Short mmCIF file of all heavy atoms in Angstrom, two decimals:
data_model
loop_
_atom_site.label_atom_id
_atom_site.label_comp_id
_atom_site.label_asym_id
_atom_site.label_seq_id
_atom_site.Cartn_x
_atom_site.Cartn_y
_atom_site.Cartn_z
N ASN A 1 99.21 108.36 90.20
CA ASN A 1 98.08 107.47 90.47
C ASN A 1 97.70 107.40 91.95
O ASN A 1 96.89 106.57 92.34
CB ASN A 1 98.33 106.07 89.89
CG ASN A 1 99.45 105.32 90.59
OD1 ASN A 1 100.02 105.80 91.57
ND2 ASN A 1 99.76 104.15 90.10
N ARG A 2 98.28 108.27 92.77
CA ARG A 2 97.84 108.33 94.17
C ARG A 2 96.44 108.95 94.22
O ARG A 2 96.16 109.90 93.51
CB ARG A 2 98.78 109.22 94.99
CG ARG A 2 100.18 108.73 95.11
CD ARG A 2 100.98 109.78 95.91
NE ARG A 2 102.38 109.48 95.95
CZ ARG A 2 103.33 110.18 95.31
NH1 ARG A 2 103.00 111.23 94.58
NH2 ARG A 2 104.59 109.85 95.42
N PRO A 3 95.56 108.47 95.09
CA PRO A 3 94.26 109.12 95.26
C PRO A 3 94.45 110.58 95.71
O PRO A 3 95.29 110.86 96.56
CB PRO A 3 93.58 108.31 96.36
CG PRO A 3 94.26 106.98 96.32
CD PRO A 3 95.68 107.27 95.92
N VAL A 4 93.66 111.50 95.13
CA VAL A 4 93.81 112.93 95.39
C VAL A 4 92.79 113.38 96.42
O VAL A 4 91.60 113.07 96.32
CB VAL A 4 93.63 113.74 94.09
CG1 VAL A 4 93.73 115.23 94.37
CG2 VAL A 4 94.66 113.33 93.06
N ILE A 5 93.27 114.14 97.40
CA ILE A 5 92.40 114.79 98.36
C ILE A 5 92.55 116.29 98.12
O ILE A 5 93.60 116.87 98.40
CB ILE A 5 92.76 114.42 99.81
CG1 ILE A 5 92.54 112.93 100.02
CG2 ILE A 5 91.94 115.25 100.79
CD1 ILE A 5 92.90 112.41 101.38
N THR A 6 91.51 116.90 97.57
CA THR A 6 91.54 118.33 97.26
C THR A 6 90.95 119.08 98.44
O THR A 6 89.76 119.00 98.70
CB THR A 6 90.73 118.60 95.97
OG1 THR A 6 91.26 117.79 94.93
CG2 THR A 6 90.83 120.06 95.58
N LEU A 7 91.83 119.80 99.16
CA LEU A 7 91.43 120.49 100.37
C LEU A 7 90.88 121.88 100.10
O LEU A 7 90.18 122.44 100.94
CB LEU A 7 92.60 120.57 101.35
CG LEU A 7 93.12 119.23 101.85
CD1 LEU A 7 94.42 119.40 102.60
CD2 LEU A 7 92.08 118.56 102.72
N GLY A 8 91.22 122.48 98.96
CA GLY A 8 90.79 123.85 98.69
C GLY A 8 91.36 124.78 99.74
O GLY A 8 92.56 124.77 100.01
N ALA A 9 90.51 125.58 100.38
CA ALA A 9 90.95 126.51 101.42
C ALA A 9 90.81 125.90 102.82
O ALA A 9 90.76 126.61 103.81
CB ALA A 9 90.15 127.81 101.33
N ASN A 10 90.74 124.57 102.90
CA ASN A 10 90.62 123.88 104.18
C ASN A 10 91.93 123.20 104.54
O ASN A 10 92.71 122.84 103.68
CB ASN A 10 89.51 122.83 104.10
CG ASN A 10 88.18 123.44 103.79
OD1 ASN A 10 87.67 124.24 104.56
ND2 ASN A 10 87.62 123.11 102.65
N ALA A 11 92.14 123.00 105.83
CA ALA A 11 93.35 122.32 106.32
C ALA A 11 92.99 120.91 106.78
O ALA A 11 91.85 120.64 107.17
CB ALA A 11 93.95 123.10 107.48
N TRP A 12 93.98 120.02 106.76
CA TRP A 12 93.80 118.69 107.32
C TRP A 12 94.82 118.56 108.45
O TRP A 12 96.01 118.57 108.22
CB TRP A 12 94.01 117.60 106.28
CG TRP A 12 93.72 116.22 106.81
CD1 TRP A 12 93.31 115.88 108.06
CD2 TRP A 12 93.84 114.99 106.10
NE1 TRP A 12 93.15 114.53 108.17
CE2 TRP A 12 93.47 113.96 106.99
CE3 TRP A 12 94.22 114.66 104.82
CZ2 TRP A 12 93.49 112.62 106.62
CZ3 TRP A 12 94.22 113.33 104.46
CH2 TRP A 12 93.86 112.32 105.34
N THR A 13 94.32 118.42 109.66
CA THR A 13 95.16 118.26 110.85
C THR A 13 94.80 116.94 111.48
O THR A 13 93.63 116.66 111.73
CB THR A 13 94.89 119.40 111.86
OG1 THR A 13 95.17 120.64 111.21
CG2 THR A 13 95.76 119.25 113.09
N TRP A 14 95.82 116.10 111.73
CA TRP A 14 95.51 114.84 112.38
C TRP A 14 96.18 114.76 113.74
O TRP A 14 97.13 115.47 114.03
CB TRP A 14 95.80 113.64 111.50
CG TRP A 14 97.20 113.41 111.04
CD1 TRP A 14 98.23 112.89 111.75
CD2 TRP A 14 97.73 113.67 109.74
NE1 TRP A 14 99.35 112.80 110.98
CE2 TRP A 14 99.07 113.27 109.74
CE3 TRP A 14 97.19 114.18 108.57
CZ2 TRP A 14 99.90 113.37 108.62
CZ3 TRP A 14 98.00 114.28 107.46
CH2 TRP A 14 99.33 113.88 107.50
N ALA A 15 95.68 113.86 114.55
CA ALA A 15 96.12 113.72 115.94
C ALA A 15 97.39 112.87 116.04
O ALA A 15 97.93 112.39 115.05
CB ALA A 15 94.99 113.10 116.77
N THR A 16 97.83 112.64 117.25
CA THR A 16 99.02 111.84 117.54
C THR A 16 98.89 110.44 116.95
O THR A 16 97.81 109.85 116.96
CB THR A 16 99.22 111.75 119.06
OG1 THR A 16 99.38 113.08 119.55
CG2 THR A 16 100.43 110.95 119.44
N ASN A 17 100.01 109.92 116.45
CA ASN A 17 100.11 108.54 115.95
C ASN A 17 99.22 108.23 114.76
O ASN A 17 98.66 107.15 114.66
CB ASN A 17 99.84 107.53 117.06
CG ASN A 17 100.93 107.56 118.11
OD1 ASN A 17 102.10 107.76 117.81
ND2 ASN A 17 100.54 107.41 119.36
N HIS A 18 99.10 109.17 113.84
CA HIS A 18 98.41 108.91 112.58
C HIS A 18 99.47 108.74 111.50
O HIS A 18 100.36 109.57 111.35
CB HIS A 18 97.49 110.06 112.20
CG HIS A 18 96.19 110.04 112.92
ND1 HIS A 18 94.99 110.00 112.29
CD2 HIS A 18 95.90 110.04 114.25
CE1 HIS A 18 94.01 109.98 113.17
NE2 HIS A 18 94.54 110.01 114.37
N ASP A 19 99.37 107.65 110.74
CA ASP A 19 100.30 107.37 109.65
C ASP A 19 99.52 107.46 108.34
O ASP A 19 98.46 106.85 108.19
CB ASP A 19 100.90 105.97 109.79
CG ASP A 19 101.78 105.84 111.02
OD1 ASP A 19 102.05 106.86 111.69
OD2 ASP A 19 102.19 104.71 111.32
N VAL A 20 100.07 108.23 107.39
CA VAL A 20 99.37 108.48 106.12
C VAL A 20 100.25 107.99 104.98
O VAL A 20 101.41 108.38 104.87
CB VAL A 20 99.05 109.98 105.97
CG1 VAL A 20 98.36 110.25 104.65
CG2 VAL A 20 98.20 110.47 107.14
N TYR A 21 99.69 107.12 104.14
CA TYR A 21 100.43 106.51 103.03
C TYR A 21 99.72 106.77 101.70
O TYR A 21 98.49 106.70 101.62
CB TYR A 21 100.49 104.98 103.21
CG TYR A 21 101.22 104.50 104.42
CD1 TYR A 21 100.56 104.39 105.65
CD2 TYR A 21 102.56 104.14 104.36
CE1 TYR A 21 101.23 103.93 106.77
CE2 TYR A 21 103.22 103.67 105.47
CZ TYR A 21 102.56 103.58 106.68
OH TYR A 21 103.21 103.13 107.79
N ASN A 22 100.50 107.00 100.66
CA ASN A 22 100.04 106.95 99.26
C ASN A 22 98.90 107.89 98.91
O ASN A 22 98.01 107.52 98.15
CB ASN A 22 99.60 105.52 98.90
CG ASN A 22 100.60 104.47 99.29
OD1 ASN A 22 101.79 104.72 99.29
ND2 ASN A 22 100.12 103.30 99.65
N LEU A 23 98.92 109.12 99.42
CA LEU A 23 97.87 110.09 99.08
C LEU A 23 98.48 111.32 98.44
O LEU A 23 99.66 111.63 98.63
CB LEU A 23 97.07 110.47 100.32
CG LEU A 23 96.23 109.37 100.95
CD1 LEU A 23 95.58 109.85 102.24
CD2 LEU A 23 95.18 108.86 99.99
N ASN A 24 97.66 112.06 97.69
CA ASN A 24 98.06 113.28 97.02
C ASN A 24 97.15 114.40 97.52
O ASN A 24 95.94 114.35 97.31
CB ASN A 24 97.90 113.10 95.50
CG ASN A 24 98.36 114.29 94.70
OD1 ASN A 24 98.64 115.35 95.24
ND2 ASN A 24 98.41 114.12 93.40
N PHE A 25 97.73 115.39 98.23
CA PHE A 25 96.97 116.49 98.80
C PHE A 25 97.22 117.76 97.99
O PHE A 25 98.38 118.07 97.68
CB PHE A 25 97.39 116.77 100.24
CG PHE A 25 97.18 115.64 101.19
CD1 PHE A 25 98.17 114.71 101.41
CD2 PHE A 25 95.98 115.51 101.87
CE1 PHE A 25 97.99 113.66 102.30
CE2 PHE A 25 95.79 114.47 102.76
CZ PHE A 25 96.79 113.54 102.98
N THR A 26 96.18 118.52 97.70
CA THR A 26 96.34 119.84 97.11
C THR A 26 95.44 120.81 97.87
O THR A 26 94.40 120.42 98.42
CB THR A 26 95.94 119.88 95.61
OG1 THR A 26 94.56 119.56 95.49
CG2 THR A 26 96.78 118.92 94.80
N GLY A 27 95.86 122.08 97.92
CA GLY A 27 95.07 123.09 98.61
C GLY A 27 95.78 124.41 98.66
O GLY A 27 96.87 124.58 98.09
N THR A 28 95.18 125.37 99.40
CA THR A 28 95.71 126.73 99.42
C THR A 28 95.79 127.36 100.81
O THR A 28 96.21 128.50 100.94
CB THR A 28 94.82 127.64 98.55
OG1 THR A 28 93.49 127.63 99.06
CG2 THR A 28 94.84 127.21 97.10
N VAL A 29 95.38 126.67 101.85
CA VAL A 29 95.30 127.26 103.19
C VAL A 29 96.69 127.49 103.78
O VAL A 29 97.69 126.96 103.29
CB VAL A 29 94.43 126.35 104.10
CG1 VAL A 29 95.17 125.10 104.50
CG2 VAL A 29 93.92 127.10 105.31
N THR A 30 96.81 128.27 104.85
CA THR A 30 98.09 128.66 105.44
C THR A 30 98.98 127.48 105.78
O THR A 30 100.13 127.43 105.40
CB THR A 30 97.87 129.54 106.69
OG1 THR A 30 97.12 130.69 106.29
CG2 THR A 30 99.17 129.97 107.30
N SER A 31 98.49 126.53 106.54
CA SER A 31 99.21 125.27 106.79
C SER A 31 98.28 124.15 106.35
O SER A 31 97.36 123.77 107.07
CB SER A 31 99.59 125.12 108.26
OG SER A 31 100.63 126.01 108.59
#
């Protein structure tokens, strides 16, 4: 029941001091 973030062939990169809670990530990119 976590909200899904479908990245596909895209990456998600966040900056310093980002805290991520309760999410579901799917995708295919290198990192």
Side-chain angles (χ1 to χ4, degrees):
N1 68 3
R2 296 178 187 110
V4 178
I5 297 178
T6 304
L7 297 170
N10 300 297
W12 184 1
T13 301
W14 61 78
T16 300
N17 293 324
H18 280 237
D19 295 351
V20 179
Y21 297 86
N22 311 328
L23 294 175
N24 183 350
F25 299 91
T26 63
T28 60
V29 74
T30 301
S31 288

